[in-house]
C-alpha cells in the first residue's frame, strides 16, 4: 500500500545552488583585514559629542522598535516550544463521573423469559417496568505518542528553533538601524542649526546692503529698481528661515520618538556639525563584512529553517505510528472505584496511518515548501550582494562628499572675497547693482551647499557603520545561537 501511495508523488528535490564566493577585496578600499566596528555607543563616542553619546545610550535602552524586536524573540521562542511539543508524549487525566437514567418504557421485561410471564396479564398486556439508573466512574491517565520514524516532528522542532535564532539576529538589525537613525537625526539637527545661522547672517548682510542702497537713493545715486532688486534678495533670505526652523523642530521631535520619549519631555541642545570629529573606519575584507552583518545571518537562518520545513513536508508522505494507552480505575459505584482490585482498567493500542489519496494535498504542501526554499535562497544571495553593495556605496559616498566639501570650501572663500570687494565698491559708489546681486546670491548659496555637503559626509559615515554591521560580529552570532540552544536544552528535560 505504501508503494501505491507514493507512486504518484514526486519526492525528488533539487536544492538551488547557493555557491557565491565573496570577492577578495573591495573596489574602494585596500584589501586589508580590519577589526569589527564597536557597538553603537562606542561608535557615537568617535564623533566627540557627549550629547550624541548620551542620546545613543538612551535609544539603546528605551527605543520601542528594539523593545518590539525583543518581544518577537519571546514569541519565536514560544513558537519553538509549541513546534517541539510533538516530540514529547501527551499525558492527560481522564476523570469521569456519569449517571445515566434509562426510562422503564425502553426496557422489555418479557424478552428474556420463555413460557409464562407473570408480568403479563390474561389479556396479553405487560405491566410497567421501573426506570433504572446506571452509574459509571473512572479515574485514570491517558497517554499518546507519535513514533517519529521519519524525523517529521524533529524537523518541525529544528525549523522553529532556527527561526528563534533568526529573531535574535533581527533584533541586532533593529539595534543597528536605530543607532544609525539617531546619528543621522542628530546630524540633521546640527545641520539645521548651522543653516539657520548662515541664513540669519545672510539676512544681516542683505540688510546692510539694503541700507547702503537706500542711502544712495536719498542722494540720487541709486534708483528705485536698485532698491527693489535688493529688497527681493533680502526677502528671499528671510523666507529661507521658516523652512529651516520647521526642519529643526520636526527633527527634534522625530529624535524624541527614537528615544522612546515624548517631544515635550526632552531637550536637545545641539550645536554645530563643524565641531564634530569625523571617524576613520576601515572596512576590512568582503568576507569579514558578510560574517559581521546580522541581516545576512538572519537570511541564512531563515533559509536553514526552511530546509527542515521541506524535510518535514516530505516526511508527511510516510506512515505514522501513534501509540496510545490508558491506565486507571473504572466502576459503576463510586465507593468501589479504588477499593477493589478488579476495578483496574488499562488499554494499549498502536495506530498506523498511511495517506493513500488526499487530492494531492501533501504533494501541494511539499511543493509549497520547496518553492519557499527557492525564494529564501534567492533572497539570501540578494542579501549578500546588498551587503557588499552597501559597503561599496558608503565608501564611495565618504570619498566623494569629502571632495565636494573641499571644492565648496574654496568656493565659499572666493565668494566671500567677491562679496567684500563688491561691498567696498558699493560704498565707493561705482558698482553695478546687478553684479552686487549676483555676488550676494552666489555667496549665500555656496554657504548653504557646503552645510548640506557636510551633512551628507557625516551621513555617509553612518551608512558605512550600518553597512559593516556595526557592533555585531561572528562572535555575537555564536553567542546568540549558543544562548538559544542552552535555553531549549534546559527546558527539554530527559525526553525524548
Amino acid at each position: 500500500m505504501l508503494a501505491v501511495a507514493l507512486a504518484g508523488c514526486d519526492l525528488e528535490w533539487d536544492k538551488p545552488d547557493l555557491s557565491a564566493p565573496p570577492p577578495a577585496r573591495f573596489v574602494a578600499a585596500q584589501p586589508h583585514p580590519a577589526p569589527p566596528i564597536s557597538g553603537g555607543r562606542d561608535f557615537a563616542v568617535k564623533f566627540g559629542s557627549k550629547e550624541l553619546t548620551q542620546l545613543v545610550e538612551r535609544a539603546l535602552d528605551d527605543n520601542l522598535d528594539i523593545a518590539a524586536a525583543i518581544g518577537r524573540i519571546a514569541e519565536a521562542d514560544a513558537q519553538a516550544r509549541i513546534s517541539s511539543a510533538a516530540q514529547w508524549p501527551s499525558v492527560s487525566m481522564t476523570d469521569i463521573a456519569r449517571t445515566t437514567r434509562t426510562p422503564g418504557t425502553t426496557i422489555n421485561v418479557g424478552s428474556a423469559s420463555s413460557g409464562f410471564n407473570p408480568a403479563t396479564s390474561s389479556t396479553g398486556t405487560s405491566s410497567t417496568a421501573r426506570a433504572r439508573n446506571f452509574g459509571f466512574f473512572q479515574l485514570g491517565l491517558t497517554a499518546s505518542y507519535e513514533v517519529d520514524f521519519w524525523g517529521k516532528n524533529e524537523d518541525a522542532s529544528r525549523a522553529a528553533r532556527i527561526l528563534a535564532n533568526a529573531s535574535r539576529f533581527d533584533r541586532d538589525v533593529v539595534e543597528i538601524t536605530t543607532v544609525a537613525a539617531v546619528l543621522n537625526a542628530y546630524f540633521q539637527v546640527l545641520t539645521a542649526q548651522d543653516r539657520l545661522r548662515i541664513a540669519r547672517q545672510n539676512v544681516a548682510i542683505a540688510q546692510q546692503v539694503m541700507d547702503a542702497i537706500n542711502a544712495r537713493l536719498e542722494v540720487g545715486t541709486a534708483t528705485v529698481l536698485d532698491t527693489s532688486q535688493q529688497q527681493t534678495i533680502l526677502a528671499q533670505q528671510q523666507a529661507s528661515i521658516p523652512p529651516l526652523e520647521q526642519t529643526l523642530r520636526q527633527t527634534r521631535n522625530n529624535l524624541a520618538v527614537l528615544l522612546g520619549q515624548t517631544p515635550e519631555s526632552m531637550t536637545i541642545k545641539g550645536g554645530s556639525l563643524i565641531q564634530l570629529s569625523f571617524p576613520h573606519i576601515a572596512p576590512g575584507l568582503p568576507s569579514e563584512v558578510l560574517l559581521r552583518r546580522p541581516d545576512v545571518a538572519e537570511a541564512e537562518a531563515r533559509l536553514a529553517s526552511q530546509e527542515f520545513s521541506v524535510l518535514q513536508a516530505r516526511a508527511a508522505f510516510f506512515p505514522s505510528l501513534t501509540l496510545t494507552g490508558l491506565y486507571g480505575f473504572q466502576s459503576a459505584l463510586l465507593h468501589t472505584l479504588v477499593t477493589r482490585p478488579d476495578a483496574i482498567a488499562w488499554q494499549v493500542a498502536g495506530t498506523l496511518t498511511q495517506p493513500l489519496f488526499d487530492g494531492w494535498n501533501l504533494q501541494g504542501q511539499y511543493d509549497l515548501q520547496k518553492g519557499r526554499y527557492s525564494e529564501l535562497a534567492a533572497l539570501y544571495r540578494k542579501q549578500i550582494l546588498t551587503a557588499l553593495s552597501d559597503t561599496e556605496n558608503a565608501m564611495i559616498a565618504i570619498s566623494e562628499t569629502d571632495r565636494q566639501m573641499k571644492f565648496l570650501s574654496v568656493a565659499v572663500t572666493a565668494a566671500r572675497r567677491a562679496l567684500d570687494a563688491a561691498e567696498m565698491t558699493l560704498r565707493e559708489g561705482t558698482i553695478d547693482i546687478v553684479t552686487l546681486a549676483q555676488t550676494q546670491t552666489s555667496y549665500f548659496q555656496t554657504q548653504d551647499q557646503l552645510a548640506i555637503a557636510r551633512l551628507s559626509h557625516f551621513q555617509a559615515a553612518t551608512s558605512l557603520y550600518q553597512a559593516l554591521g556595526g557592533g555585531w560580529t561572528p562572535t555575537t552570532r555564536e553567542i546568540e545561537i549558543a544562548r538559544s540552544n542552552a535555553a531549549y536544552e534546559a527546558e527539554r528535560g530527559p525526553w525524548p
Side-chain angles (χ1 to χ4, degrees), residues 148 150-160 308-309 311-312 315:
D148 198 16
W150 319 110
K152 178 178 63 176
N153 298 331
E154 175 65 18
D155 291 336
S157 174
R158 296 180 68 177
F308 287 107
S309 296
L311 297 177
Q312 178 191 3

Side-chain angles (χ1 to χ4, degrees), residues 96-124:
I96 301 175
R98 181 176 69 238
T99 298
T100 304
R101 179 179 177 85
T102 302
T105 54
T106 64
I107 300 175
N108 186 352
V109 298
S111 61
S113 61
S114 60
F116 178 77
N117 188 344
T120 304
S121 64
S122 59
T123 59

Side-chain angles (χ1 to χ4, degrees), residues 256-293:
V257 175
L258 289 172
L259 272 59
Q261 308 290 328
T262 61
E264 299 80 8
S265 63
M266 64 176 297
T267 302
I268 300 175
K269 180 180 178 182
S272 174
L273 195 58
I274 301 176
Q275 298 173 349
L276 296 188
S277 302
F278 191 84
H280 173 72
I281 307 173
L285 301 176
S287 58
E288 294 175 330
V289 171
L290 297 182
L291 289 175
R292 293 171 187 162
R293 295 256 308 205

Side-chain angles (χ1 to χ4, degrees), residues 59-73 171 174 178:
L60 292 176
D61 293 335
D62 301 330
N63 179 264
L64 298 180
D65 288 328
I66 295 178
I70 294 174
R72 289 194 292 271
I73 293 176
R171 185 261 178 207
V174 172
T178 299

Side-chain angles (χ1 to χ4, degrees), residues 5 45 62 65 102 117 136 174 194 248 251 266 304 306 332 334 349 402 410 421 434 443 449 481 488 492:
V45 171
D62 301 330
D65 288 328
T102 302
N117 188 344
F136 179 81
V174 172
D194 287 338
L248 175 60
T251 305
M266 64 176 297
Q306 184 60 28
L334 181 60
D402 182 62
V410 173
V434 176
Y443 177 64
Q449 290 171 356
I481 294 176
Y488 173 80
R492 173 174 174 171

Side-chain angles (χ1 to χ4, degrees), residues 97-363:
R98 181 176 69 238
T99 298
T100 304
R101 179 179 177 85
T102 302
T105 54
T106 64
I107 300 175
N108 186 352
V109 298
S111 61
S113 61
S114 60
F116 178 77
N117 188 344
T120 304
S121 64
S122 59
T123 59
T125 60
S126 62
S127 63
T128 304
R130 292 185 301 171
R132 299 182 61 182
N133 295 331
F134 297 92
F136 179 81
F137 300 91
Q138 175 177 297
L139 178 64
L141 299 175
T142 59
S144 64
Y145 176 66
E146 181 180 359
V147 181
D148 198 16
F149 281 123
W150 319 110
K152 178 178 63 176
N153 298 331
E154 175 65 18
D155 291 336
S157 174
R158 296 180 68 177
R161 287 162 56 193
I162 295 176
L163 281 181
N165 292 335
S167 69
R168 286 167 167 79
F169 303 148
D170 174 69
R171 185 261 178 207
D172 295 318
V173 173
V174 172
E175 178 178 316
I176 293 174
T177 303
T178 299
V179 171
V182 172
L183 293 174
N184 286 336
Y186 189 72
F187 297 154
Q188 290 171 354
V189 168
L190 299 185
T191 300
Q193 292 175 327
D194 287 338
R195 295 178 68 191
L196 277 170
R197 281 189 289 268
I198 292 171
R200 293 189 177 106
Q201 292 171 2
N202 293 341
V203 168
I205 292 173
Q207 185 62 57
Q208 292 175 359
V209 174
M210 185 72 202
D211 294 340
I213 294 177
N214 285 334
R216 292 182 60 188
L217 180 65
E218 292 178 357
V219 297
T221 58
T223 64
V224 174
L225 177 61
D226 296 337
T227 59
S228 298
Q229 289 179 326
Q230 185 59 32
Q231 183 65 46
T232 300
I233 294 175
L234 175 60
Q236 288 175 339
Q237 290 305 306
Q238 291 172 333
S240 68
I241 293 179
L244 295 176
E245 288 282 4
Q246 176 182 342
T247 299
L248 175 60
R249 295 169 65 182
Q250 291 179 342
T251 305
R252 281 174 170 167
N253 294 340
N254 296 337
L255 191 53
V257 175
L258 289 172
L259 272 59
Q261 308 290 328
T262 61
E264 299 80 8
S265 63
M266 64 176 297
T267 302
I268 300 175
K269 180 180 178 182
S272 174
L273 195 58
I274 301 176
Q275 298 173 349
L276 296 188
S277 302
F278 191 84
H280 173 72
I281 307 173
L285 301 176
S287 58
E288 294 175 330
V289 171
L290 297 182
L291 289 175
R292 293 171 187 162
R293 295 256 308 205
D295 53 350
V296 174
E298 180 183 358
E300 182 181 356
R302 294 189 182 279
L303 181 61
S305 172
Q306 184 60 28
E307 181 173 355
F308 287 107
S309 296
V310 173
L311 297 177
Q312 178 191 3
R314 185 176 186 272
F317 286 97
F318 298 97
S320 173
L321 176 61
T322 303
L323 304 178
T324 59
L326 178 147
Y327 183 87
F329 303 91
Q330 296 179 354
S331 176
L333 300 175
L334 181 60
H335 68 275
T336 61
L337 181 61
V338 295
T339 58
R340 294 181 54 173
D342 57 344
I344 296 177
W346 59 267
Q347 176 182 310
V348 177
T351 303
L352 183 65
T353 304
Q354 168 60 56
L356 296 180
F357 180 74
D358 60 356
W360 288 278
N361 175 63
L362 291 178
Q363 184 66 49

